[in-house]
Amino acid sequence: MKLLDLYAKMKGDLDAIERELAHSVTSDHALLSETSTHLLKAGGKRIRPVFVLLAGKFGDYRLDVLERIAVPLELIHMSSLVHDDVIDNAQTRRGQLTVKSKWDNRIAMFTGDYIFGKALTVVAELNNPHIHQILSKAMVQMCVGEIEQIRDFFNTEQSVRNYLRRIRRKTALLIAISCQLGAVAAGAERGIANALYRFGYNVGMAYQIGDDLLDLLGTEKQIGKPPGSDIRQGNITLPVLMALQEPEIRDALLAEIIKIRESDGAGDMKAVLNIIRKSKGINSSQDLANRFIAKAIAALDQLPGIPAKKNLSDIARFVAKRNY
Amino acid sequence: MKLLDLYAKMKGDLDAIERELAHSVTSDHALLSETSTHLLKAGGKRIRPVFVLLAGKFGDYRLDVLERIAVPLELIHMSSLVHDDVIDNAQTRRGQLTVKSKWDNRIAMFTGDYIFGKALTVVAELNNPHIHQILSKAMVQMCVGEIEQIRDFFNTEQSVRNYLRRIRRKTALLIAISCQLGAVAAGAERGIANALYRFGYNVGMAYQIGDDLLDLLGTEKQIGKPPGSDIRQGNITLPVLMALQEPEIRDALLAEIIKIRESDGAGDMKAVLNIIRKSKGINSSQDLANRFIAKAIAALDQLPGIPAKKNLSDIARFVAKRNY
């Protein structure tokens, strides 16, 4: 099944989640409703809600319960994006002005806090301490990932392992628990929830590598911000780390990265992008993403053969095939 | 009983909470442990844990359970302080460098997020959805209060009612639920928990008014930062609003506030502090704080006459009597 067909098939339930998302962040305060709604309207693929719903199919599928997982997870994702934008000094995201550029950093910070608080009020309606435990531990790890990213800014000596640990915390974990918690909330067996966690984790790793490739290979229109934004802010991603391992280009690439660092984000990105795009780092990164996708699909092996299983592997294959 | 005697009497349990606080924020990441420990060591009166423990005396007092309320509430308070410092551009707090000045704004933001996440992992160990609901709703209201404070910066036309609504969200609510949740976690009757909520709410209101008075009347040594910091950042507090209602000084005071605003925080605070200190706003604010204290003590009326009841009213009286 194509991804668009899958979204079409799930439209009724996804629409319900969209309404709940909109409802959840309004009504407390005019400005916070405005900033949060601005964020919501910037869209996104709602991949976390999709995973929650599909994982819910492996147990007792009840939309009213699964909503209470899908909405908070998407809100937590949004909340982390707003705080990210403050750090990244990002002017646009998905082609829209960020909260920090439309309003300011202080408002962006408390909008993030507010949306996070709202996520908690929604999940608090579920009487399941196991869910709270999984969620709160993931939140802590996400913060650790964010801090690691700041600490590793412009660190060209970091290892690939370092990068992988960072994206695990920053991205893969929230996608992993989306799959896991959908199953837990639906009362699925622990073995099933764990397999779905592994699926989500591996898809999440591949997804972030894909995102990092897109930032280097995509057009401004595709990405919603200028290509090379990661390097500009100092975020040294997998393709760059792999390119740095090539002796023929290492010195030239290092020199360009130092130039960007010293220009404080104002420099031209053409030269650095040219070097990386021609490097083997691109294909090697894609290969690693593909290996994560293969692992994700393998994690589905032990699940019962219901249609949601096929849907999940279709999504994984789609993540692997993104065109840059 | 004097406050110091009360702390001495509770020392064993408060020490246990202090250990749990220290333990809760360490071990995930060196930098986050360092920033969080820096915050913890800056101290504070731990008034929220004290209230949790005393409220717990009205039910089945179990330190292992009450810790799971006291630690997260203090962590949430700390988390909001770090984010506040980012907004306030504060260099010191309690005489110590703030996280944002010792490290930077980005690290302060994620330290706040991290400590908040840690608070959630601790409270998630309690299997009581009612507690999660009360807590998450309070978090949302705290964010609304923070945003209102930003929106009201340098707004000299705001009403006293506006100010009171803001400090209710910003301060009183967390103290109110400290009292309430201590009772809830100890399995006290709902009527008792509600009375303790009202006690905490009113003490919290008086406490914040007292803090706002201290910022105007105290010495730098007492406050841990230069007097007048609130006005400098644009936070127009009760004594200032009340002073603005005096026709004889209104124009001069307004002119000084505009000067401070235009100097972008660099101006001299002597003139503005002189005007306010001589105004009736000081006594009127103290009177209002005293009325909140009286209401707090009245809320205790319906509680059984155990020693904790007397301790709570002693604390309330102490809050009323702070010397400036």
Side-chain angles (χ1 to χ4, degrees):
Chain A
M1 193 186 285
K2 281 186 191 156
L3 212 62
L4 276 178
D5 295 337
L6 177 61
Y7 272 90
K9 202 181 118 198
M10 296 174 75
K11 188 172 187 308
D13 289 359
L14 284 172
D15 283 351
I17 286 172
E18 206 61 36
R19 281 193 299 275
E20 275 304 302
L21 275 171
H23 174 71
S24 69
V25 296
T26 44
S27 90
D28 289 282
H29 189 266
L31 176 60
L32 285 169
S33 299
E34 202 186 331
T35 53
S36 308
T37 306
H38 173 79
L39 268 171
L40 264 182
K41 284 201 177 144
K45 293 164 288 299
R46 307 293 189 242
I47 193 70
R48 291 155 199 82
V50 166
F51 280 150
V52 170
L53 294 180
L54 290 174
K57 300 277 187 187
F58 291 89
D60 176 22
Y61 187 93
R62 281 181 46 195
L63 183 58
D64 60 329
V65 172
L66 293 169
E67 265 179 8
R68 257 104 226 100
I69 300 290
V71 168
L73 286 169
E74 189 66 14
L75 290 176
I76 287 167
H77 170 60
M78 282 171 54
S79 158
S80 80
L81 291 186
V82 201
H83 280 188
D84 267 1
D85 288 339
V86 173
I87 300 305
D88 301 352
N89 210 7
Q91 297 306 309
T92 55
R93 180 183 285 276
R94 294 175 186 144
Q96 305 274 335
L97 283 179
T98 55
V99 173
K100 67 142 278 157
S101 69
K102 191 164 177 188
W103 288 274
D104 65 29
N105 271 340
R106 304 172 309 176
I107 290 176
M109 189 174 73
F110 285 122
T111 296
D113 290 359
Y114 167 77
I115 294 175
F116 189 61
K118 279 295 181 174
L120 297 179
T121 62
V122 175
V123 80
E125 290 167 31
L126 291 179
N127 183 356
N128 187 333
H130 188 42
I131 291 174
H132 290 277
Q133 285 154 14
I134 292 170
L135 200 57
S136 59
K137 281 185 186 152
M139 301 305 90
V140 168
Q141 289 306 312
M142 280 175 75
C143 292
V144 173
E146 296 284 2
I147 284 278
E148 281 176 346
Q149 180 164 321
I150 294 173
R151 290 299 267 191
D152 286 337
F153 273 165
F154 288 111
N155 176 5
T156 47
E157 301 306 309
Q158 64 185 290
S159 63
V160 166
R161 185 185 208 142
N162 207 46
Y163 164 86
L164 293 174
R165 190 176 53 208
R166 191 168 71 233
I167 68 167
R168 181 172 69 220
R169 287 172 159 145
K170 214 187 73 150
T171 306
L173 201 50
L174 195 64
I175 295 181
I177 70 166
S178 299
C179 297
Q180 179 189 21
L181 290 179
V184 169
E189 279 171 37
R190 182 168 281 237
I192 288 182
N194 290 347
L196 284 163
Y197 176 96
R198 285 195 303 282
F199 168 81
Y201 165 75
N202 285 292
V203 168
M205 295 297 282
Y207 184 83
Q208 185 60 52
I209 295 173
D211 236 35
D212 293 346
L213 278 165
L214 185 64
D215 185 71
L216 296 164
L217 304 176
T219 61
E220 176 153 2
K221 198 173 165 202
Q222 275 176 302
I223 318 175
K225 56 186 175 183
S229 297
D230 283 336
I231 308 179
R232 191 189 295 275
Q233 73 173 79
N235 186 12
I236 308 294
T237 57
L238 183 65
V240 184
L241 288 176
M242 287 179 155
L244 282 167
Q245 290 173 4
E246 297 173 42
E248 316 83 73
I249 61 173
R250 180 178 168 85
D251 288 346
L253 181 51
L254 274 178
E256 285 300 328
I257 293 174
I258 289 167
K259 238 194 267 175
I260 291 162
R261 178 179 202 160
E262 285 173 352
S263 77
D264 222 2
D268 187 18
M269 305 299 292
K270 258 190 210 137
V272 78
L273 288 175
N274 264 338
I275 298 175
I276 299 164
R277 284 171 183 167
K278 280 189 224 144
S279 76
K280 296 187 197 103
I282 301 297
N283 277 338
S284 314
S285 300
Q286 187 60 61
D287 287 349
L288 185 54
N290 290 342
R291 287 210 292 281
F292 280 115
I293 291 297
K295 276 195 210 168
I297 292 171
L300 298 174
D301 275 353
Q302 57 193 106
L303 297 182
I306 62 172
K309 178 175 175 173
K310 177 71 169 49
N311 297 150
L312 289 171
S313 74
D314 285 346
I315 294 177
R317 285 195 183 87
F318 173 81
V319 168
K321 269 191 216 147
R322 288 203 290 181
N323 288 321
Y324 310 109
Chain B
M1 191 184 288
K2 283 187 188 155
L3 212 62
L4 276 178
D5 295 337
L6 177 61
Y7 272 90
K9 203 181 117 198
M10 296 174 75
K11 188 172 187 307
D13 290 359
L14 284 173
D15 282 352
I17 286 172
E18 206 61 36
R19 281 193 299 275
E20 276 303 303
L21 275 171
H23 175 71
S24 69
V25 296
T26 43
S27 89
D28 289 283
H29 189 265
L31 176 61
L32 285 168
S33 299
E34 201 186 332
T35 54
S36 307
T37 305
H38 173 78
L39 268 170
L40 264 182
K41 285 201 178 145
K45 293 164 290 298
R46 308 290 190 243
I47 193 69
R48 292 155 198 82
V50 167
F51 280 150
V52 170
L53 294 179
L54 290 174
K57 300 276 186 187
F58 292 89
D60 177 20
Y61 187 94
R62 280 180 48 194
L63 183 59
D64 60 329
V65 172
L66 292 169
E67 266 180 6
R68 257 93 236 102
I69 299 290
V71 168
L73 285 169
E74 189 68 13
L75 291 177
I76 287 167
H77 169 60
M78 282 171 55
S79 158
S80 80
L81 292 185
V82 201
H83 280 188
D84 267 2
D85 289 339
V86 174
I87 299 306
D88 301 353
N89 211 9
Q91 296 306 308
T92 56
R93 179 183 286 275
R94 294 174 187 143
Q96 304 274 337
L97 284 179
T98 55
V99 173
K100 67 142 277 156
S101 69
K102 190 163 178 190
W103 288 274
D104 65 29
N105 271 339
R106 305 171 308 174
I107 288 175
M109 188 173 73
F110 286 121
T111 296
D113 290 358
Y114 167 76
I115 294 174
F116 188 63
K118 279 295 181 174
L120 297 179
T121 62
V122 176
V123 80
E125 290 167 31
L126 291 179
N127 183 358
N128 187 333
H130 189 42
I131 291 174
H132 290 277
Q133 285 153 16
I134 292 170
L135 200 58
S136 59
K137 280 184 187 153
M139 301 305 89
V140 168
Q141 290 304 312
M142 281 175 75
C143 291
V144 173
E146 296 284 2
I147 283 278
E148 280 176 347
Q149 179 165 321
I150 294 174
R151 290 299 267 192
D152 286 338
F153 273 165
F154 287 111
N155 176 5
T156 47
E157 300 307 309
Q158 64 185 291
S159 62
V160 167
R161 184 184 208 143
N162 207 45
Y163 165 85
L164 294 174
R165 191 176 52 207
R166 191 168 70 233
I167 68 167
R168 182 172 69 221
R169 286 172 160 148
K170 215 186 74 149
T171 306
L173 200 50
L174 195 64
I175 295 180
I177 69 166
S178 299
C179 297
Q180 178 189 20
L181 290 179
V184 169
E189 279 170 35
R190 180 169 285 236
I192 288 182
N194 290 346
L196 284 163
Y197 176 96
R198 284 195 303 282
F199 168 81
Y201 165 76
N202 285 293
V203 168
M205 294 298 282
Y207 184 83
Q208 185 60 53
I209 295 173
D211 236 35
D212 293 346
L213 278 165
L214 185 64
D215 185 72
L216 295 163
L217 303 176
T219 61
E220 175 153 1
K221 198 174 166 201
Q222 275 177 300
I223 317 177
K225 54 187 176 182
S229 297
D230 283 336
I231 309 180
R232 192 191 293 276
Q233 73 174 78
N235 187 12
I236 308 295
T237 57
L238 184 64
V240 185
L241 287 175
M242 286 180 155
L244 282 167
Q245 289 172 6
E246 296 173 44
E248 317 83 75
I249 61 174
R250 180 178 167 84
D251 288 345
L253 181 50
L254 274 178
E256 286 299 330
I257 293 174
I258 288 167
K259 238 193 267 174
I260 291 161
R261 179 180 201 160
E262 285 173 353
S263 77
D264 222 3
D268 187 19
M269 306 298 295
K270 259 190 208 135
V272 77
L273 287 175
N274 265 338
I275 298 175
I276 299 164
R277 285 170 183 169
K278 281 189 225 146
S279 78
K280 297 188 196 102
I282 302 297
N283 278 338
S284 314
S285 298
Q286 187 60 60
D287 287 348
L288 186 54
N290 290 342
R291 288 210 293 281
F292 279 115
I293 292 297
K295 276 195 210 169
I297 292 170
L300 298 175
D301 275 353
Q302 57 193 106
L303 298 181
I306 62 172
K309 178 176 175 173
K310 177 72 170 50
N311 297 150
L312 289 172
S313 74
D314 285 346
I315 295 176
R317 285 194 183 85
F318 173 81
V319 168
K321 268 190 217 147
R322 287 204 291 180
N323 289 322
Y324 310 109

